[in-house]
Short mmCIF file of all heavy atoms in Angstrom, two decimals:
data_model
loop_
_atom_site.label_atom_id
_atom_site.label_comp_id
_atom_site.label_asym_id
_atom_site.label_seq_id
_atom_site.Cartn_x
_atom_site.Cartn_y
_atom_site.Cartn_z
N GLN A 1 7.59 20.75 -8.06
CA GLN A 1 7.69 19.31 -8.26
C GLN A 1 6.95 18.91 -9.52
O GLN A 1 5.85 19.40 -9.79
CB GLN A 1 7.08 18.56 -7.07
CG GLN A 1 7.91 18.63 -5.81
CD GLN A 1 7.31 17.74 -4.74
OE1 GLN A 1 6.12 17.47 -4.75
NE2 GLN A 1 8.15 17.29 -3.83
N SER A 2 7.59 18.02 -10.28
CA SER A 2 6.92 17.50 -11.46
C SER A 2 5.78 16.60 -11.03
O SER A 2 5.73 16.12 -9.90
CB SER A 2 7.92 16.71 -12.32
OG SER A 2 8.33 15.55 -11.61
N LYS A 3 4.83 16.35 -11.95
CA LYS A 3 3.69 15.49 -11.62
C LYS A 3 4.13 14.07 -11.26
O LYS A 3 3.61 13.49 -10.30
CB LYS A 3 2.70 15.48 -12.78
CG LYS A 3 1.92 16.79 -12.92
CD LYS A 3 0.88 16.69 -14.02
CE LYS A 3 0.07 17.99 -14.12
NZ LYS A 3 -0.96 17.91 -15.18
N PRO A 4 5.08 13.48 -12.03
CA PRO A 4 5.53 12.13 -11.64
C PRO A 4 6.15 12.10 -10.24
O PRO A 4 5.92 11.17 -9.47
CB PRO A 4 6.56 11.78 -12.72
CG PRO A 4 6.17 12.60 -13.90
CD PRO A 4 5.66 13.89 -13.33
N GLN A 5 6.94 13.16 -9.92
CA GLN A 5 7.57 13.20 -8.60
C GLN A 5 6.53 13.38 -7.51
O GLN A 5 6.59 12.76 -6.45
CB GLN A 5 8.60 14.34 -8.53
CG GLN A 5 9.38 14.39 -7.21
CD GLN A 5 10.18 13.13 -6.99
OE1 GLN A 5 10.94 12.70 -7.86
NE2 GLN A 5 10.02 12.51 -5.82
N ALA A 6 5.55 14.24 -7.77
CA ALA A 6 4.48 14.46 -6.80
C ALA A 6 3.70 13.17 -6.56
O ALA A 6 3.32 12.86 -5.42
CB ALA A 6 3.55 15.57 -7.28
N LYS A 7 3.46 12.41 -7.63
CA LYS A 7 2.75 11.13 -7.50
C LYS A 7 3.55 10.15 -6.65
O LYS A 7 2.98 9.45 -5.78
CB LYS A 7 2.49 10.55 -8.89
CG LYS A 7 1.71 9.23 -8.85
CD LYS A 7 1.46 8.72 -10.26
CE LYS A 7 0.70 7.40 -10.21
NZ LYS A 7 0.43 6.86 -11.57
N MET A 8 4.88 10.10 -6.89
CA MET A 8 5.71 9.19 -6.10
C MET A 8 5.74 9.60 -4.63
O MET A 8 5.73 8.77 -3.74
CB MET A 8 7.15 9.15 -6.67
CG MET A 8 7.29 8.21 -7.84
SD MET A 8 9.00 7.82 -8.26
CE MET A 8 9.53 9.40 -8.89
N ASN A 9 5.73 10.91 -4.37
CA ASN A 9 5.73 11.37 -2.99
C ASN A 9 4.47 10.93 -2.25
O ASN A 9 4.49 10.60 -1.07
CB ASN A 9 5.87 12.90 -2.93
CG ASN A 9 7.29 13.35 -3.20
OD1 ASN A 9 8.22 12.54 -3.22
ND2 ASN A 9 7.47 14.64 -3.42
N VAL A 10 3.35 10.95 -2.98
CA VAL A 10 2.10 10.46 -2.39
C VAL A 10 2.22 8.96 -2.08
O VAL A 10 1.78 8.50 -1.02
CB VAL A 10 0.92 10.72 -3.34
CG1 VAL A 10 -0.34 10.02 -2.84
CG2 VAL A 10 0.66 12.21 -3.48
N GLN A 11 2.84 8.22 -3.00
CA GLN A 11 3.04 6.79 -2.76
C GLN A 11 3.96 6.54 -1.58
O GLN A 11 3.72 5.66 -0.75
CB GLN A 11 3.62 6.13 -4.03
CG GLN A 11 2.63 6.09 -5.19
CD GLN A 11 3.28 5.51 -6.44
OE1 GLN A 11 4.30 5.99 -6.94
NE2 GLN A 11 2.68 4.43 -6.94
N TYR A 12 5.03 7.35 -1.49
CA TYR A 12 5.94 7.24 -0.35
C TYR A 12 5.19 7.45 0.97
O TYR A 12 5.35 6.70 1.93
CB TYR A 12 7.06 8.27 -0.44
CG TYR A 12 8.02 8.09 -1.58
CD1 TYR A 12 8.61 9.19 -2.20
CD2 TYR A 12 8.38 6.82 -2.04
CE1 TYR A 12 9.50 9.04 -3.24
CE2 TYR A 12 9.27 6.67 -3.08
CZ TYR A 12 9.83 7.78 -3.69
OH TYR A 12 10.71 7.63 -4.72
N SER A 13 4.37 8.49 1.01
CA SER A 13 3.66 8.82 2.23
C SER A 13 2.66 7.73 2.60
O SER A 13 2.47 7.42 3.78
CB SER A 13 2.95 10.18 2.09
OG SER A 13 1.94 10.13 1.12
N ASP A 14 2.04 7.11 1.59
CA ASP A 14 1.12 6.01 1.86
C ASP A 14 1.85 4.81 2.47
O ASP A 14 1.37 4.20 3.42
CB ASP A 14 0.41 5.58 0.57
CG ASP A 14 -0.64 6.59 0.10
OD1 ASP A 14 -1.04 7.44 0.93
OD2 ASP A 14 -1.04 6.53 -1.07
N VAL A 15 3.01 4.50 1.89
CA VAL A 15 3.81 3.39 2.40
C VAL A 15 4.23 3.66 3.85
O VAL A 15 4.13 2.79 4.72
CB VAL A 15 5.06 3.17 1.51
CG1 VAL A 15 6.08 2.27 2.23
CG2 VAL A 15 4.67 2.55 0.18
N LEU A 16 4.69 4.88 4.12
CA LEU A 16 5.14 5.22 5.46
C LEU A 16 3.99 5.18 6.47
O LEU A 16 4.13 4.68 7.58
CB LEU A 16 5.79 6.60 5.47
CG LEU A 16 6.32 7.07 6.82
CD1 LEU A 16 7.39 6.12 7.35
CD2 LEU A 16 6.87 8.49 6.72
N ALA A 17 2.83 5.70 6.06
CA ALA A 17 1.66 5.71 6.96
C ALA A 17 1.27 4.28 7.33
O ALA A 17 0.99 3.99 8.50
CB ALA A 17 0.50 6.43 6.29
N LYS A 18 1.25 3.39 6.36
CA LYS A 18 0.89 2.00 6.63
C LYS A 18 1.94 1.33 7.51
O LYS A 18 1.61 0.55 8.42
CB LYS A 18 0.73 1.23 5.31
CG LYS A 18 -0.48 1.67 4.50
CD LYS A 18 -0.55 0.93 3.17
CE LYS A 18 -1.73 1.40 2.33
NZ LYS A 18 -1.78 0.73 0.99
N PHE A 19 3.21 1.63 7.25
CA PHE A 19 4.30 1.05 8.03
C PHE A 19 4.20 1.48 9.49
O PHE A 19 4.29 0.66 10.40
CB PHE A 19 5.65 1.49 7.44
CG PHE A 19 6.84 0.87 8.09
CD1 PHE A 19 7.38 -0.32 7.60
CD2 PHE A 19 7.44 1.44 9.20
CE1 PHE A 19 8.48 -0.91 8.19
CE2 PHE A 19 8.54 0.87 9.80
CZ PHE A 19 9.06 -0.32 9.30
N CYS A 20 3.99 2.77 9.72
CA CYS A 20 3.91 3.30 11.09
C CYS A 20 2.68 2.76 11.83
O CYS A 20 2.74 2.49 13.03
CB CYS A 20 3.88 4.82 11.07
SG CYS A 20 5.42 5.55 10.47
N ALA A 21 1.59 2.59 11.11
CA ALA A 21 0.39 2.04 11.73
C ALA A 21 0.59 0.57 12.07
O ALA A 21 0.19 0.10 13.15
CB ALA A 21 -0.80 2.21 10.79
N GLN A 22 1.23 -0.17 11.18
CA GLN A 22 1.44 -1.60 11.39
C GLN A 22 2.31 -1.87 12.62
O GLN A 22 2.06 -2.81 13.37
CB GLN A 22 2.10 -2.23 10.15
CG GLN A 22 2.34 -3.73 10.29
CD GLN A 22 2.95 -4.32 9.02
OE1 GLN A 22 3.12 -3.63 8.00
NE2 GLN A 22 3.32 -5.59 9.09
N TYR A 23 3.36 -1.03 12.82
CA TYR A 23 4.30 -1.27 13.91
C TYR A 23 4.10 -0.33 15.09
O TYR A 23 4.92 -0.30 16.00
CB TYR A 23 5.73 -1.18 13.37
CG TYR A 23 6.01 -2.23 12.34
CD1 TYR A 23 6.11 -1.91 10.99
CD2 TYR A 23 6.12 -3.57 12.70
CE1 TYR A 23 6.33 -2.89 10.03
CE2 TYR A 23 6.35 -4.55 11.76
CZ TYR A 23 6.45 -4.21 10.42
OH TYR A 23 6.67 -5.17 9.48
N ASP A 24 3.01 0.44 15.06
CA ASP A 24 2.63 1.30 16.18
C ASP A 24 3.76 2.25 16.56
O ASP A 24 4.15 2.37 17.73
CB ASP A 24 2.22 0.45 17.38
CG ASP A 24 1.58 1.28 18.49
OD1 ASP A 24 1.03 2.34 18.18
OD2 ASP A 24 1.63 0.85 19.66
N VAL A 25 4.31 2.94 15.56
CA VAL A 25 5.36 3.95 15.80
C VAL A 25 4.97 5.25 15.10
O VAL A 25 5.59 5.67 14.12
CB VAL A 25 6.74 3.46 15.30
CG1 VAL A 25 7.36 2.49 16.27
CG2 VAL A 25 6.64 2.83 13.91
N PRO A 26 3.93 5.94 15.60
CA PRO A 26 3.48 7.17 14.94
C PRO A 26 4.54 8.25 14.88
O PRO A 26 4.54 9.08 13.95
CB PRO A 26 2.29 7.60 15.80
CG PRO A 26 2.48 6.92 17.12
CD PRO A 26 3.14 5.63 16.80
N ASN A 27 5.46 8.27 15.85
CA ASN A 27 6.52 9.29 15.85
C ASN A 27 7.45 9.17 14.65
O ASN A 27 8.12 10.13 14.29
CB ASN A 27 7.35 9.20 17.14
CG ASN A 27 6.57 9.65 18.35
OD1 ASN A 27 5.66 10.46 18.24
ND2 ASN A 27 6.92 9.13 19.52
#
């Protein structure tokens, strides 16, 4: 993975983690 892509993947995972925590859907 390129550095820009790796950075975006980290951002994606942060967004998803916050979304799942907000709506209580860890699965």
Side-chain angles (χ1 to χ4, degrees):
Q1 288 186 335
S2 66
K3 288 184 178 181
Q5 184 62 51
K7 182 179 179 180
M8 277 195 291
N9 284 349
V10 171
Q11 291 177 303
Y12 294 147
S13 65
D14 287 343
V15 165
L16 181 60
K18 291 177 182 177
F19 185 91
C20 294
Q22 181 178 355
Y23 298 107
D24 190 26
V25 282
N27 290 333

